[in-house]
Amino acid sequence: MSIVYKCRHCGHEVGKLENQVIDTSLLGFEQLSVQEKREMIQYQDNGDVFVRTICENCEESLGRYPEYHELDFFIQ
């Protein structure tokens, strides 16, 4: 089972946790609302978990260009 963190904007893999058993309560998933979990976490059939996050470059771009927050995708 792996937990893969990918940027929701550019698709860059931010990080990956590989382990046989990972206690997701240690990752703070329970602090997310049901809607946030639905939007951010995808469970795969093989047991892997994909978490949509934001990388440093995209976060910096959003800081410089706040109007990008209105867009679903700002990287073409």
Side-chain angles (χ1 to χ4, degrees), residues 15-30:
K16 185 174 189 176
L17 301 172
E18 294 189 61
N19 205 338
Q20 292 297 330
V21 178
I22 298 174
D23 184 358
T24 56
S25 67
L26 297 174
L27 301 175
F29 289 176
E30 74 281 348

Side-chain angles (χ1 to χ4, degrees), residues 1-6 13 15-22 24 27 29 37 40-52:
M1 175 178 147
S2 296
I3 298 179
V4 181
Y5 290 84
K6 284 195 165 199
E13 186 176 300
K16 185 174 189 176
L17 301 172
E18 294 189 61
N19 205 338
Q20 292 297 330
V21 178
I22 298 174
T24 56
L27 301 175
F29 289 176
K37 286 179 188 176
M40 295 176 65
I41 303 171
Q42 295 176 348
Y43 296 93
Q44 305 299 307
D45 291 336
N46 66 355
D48 288 353
V49 179
F50 285 94
V51 181
R52 294 178 63 196

